[in-house]
Amino acid sequence: MAILKIRKSVLLIGALILLAGIGIIGQLVKNPAGFFQQIALMVLFGLVIFFLFRRFTGSSPNKKEQRLFLKAARESKKRNAHKNEPPGRNVIQGSLASWRKPKKKANVHLTVIEGKKGKKKNRASL
């Protein structure tokens, strides 16, 4: 029964593609200038919709990740620039800058979660 449904759908899709091909060829023979004009308008309309969609959609996760990456890269460059300076240049001249305390880095506490490595998974429950 399933094979019969697949064959009907393949036949239906094939018939639609055949009719579309006949229509395109008929339009091209009947009015080639109008055919190319319609194709150009469809492509132009599609491009306008594509660019409007990309412009007005909210920020995607990729954009957020890119911003965070650029920020991290800037901070890394600053950190490396300070490491490469000679030790005599570290003296900061100025009134408020010399009185500021250095910021402490937050301690990262990592925990180890014990697992059951020796026990095999029950494949029947999946």
Side-chain angles (χ1 to χ4, degrees), residues 41-112:
L41 282 174
M42 282 189 264
V43 169
L44 182 65
F45 186 67
L47 287 173
V48 167
I49 289 176
F50 174 74
F51 284 117
L52 286 175
F53 180 76
R54 296 253 340 239
R55 175 77 177 158
F56 292 114
T57 55
S59 62
S60 67
N62 293 337
K63 289 181 184 178
K64 290 179 184 176
E65 288 177 9
Q66 185 67 21
R67 264 189 262 128
L68 291 174
F69 173 76
L70 291 175
K71 182 180 177 183
R74 282 192 301 268
E75 290 175 1
S76 178
K77 283 181 184 179
K78 286 180 185 177
R79 202 175 313 119
N80 288 335
H82 290 297
K83 286 181 182 177
N84 294 337
E85 288 182 0
R89 292 191 161 199
N90 288 1
V91 179
I92 299 174
Q93 295 178 355
S95 60
L96 291 176
S98 62
W99 290 96
R100 291 184 183 163
K101 294 180 182 178
K103 293 181 180 179
K104 292 183 180 179
K105 291 185 180 180
N107 292 334
V108 178
H109 298 288
L110 301 176
T111 59
V112 177

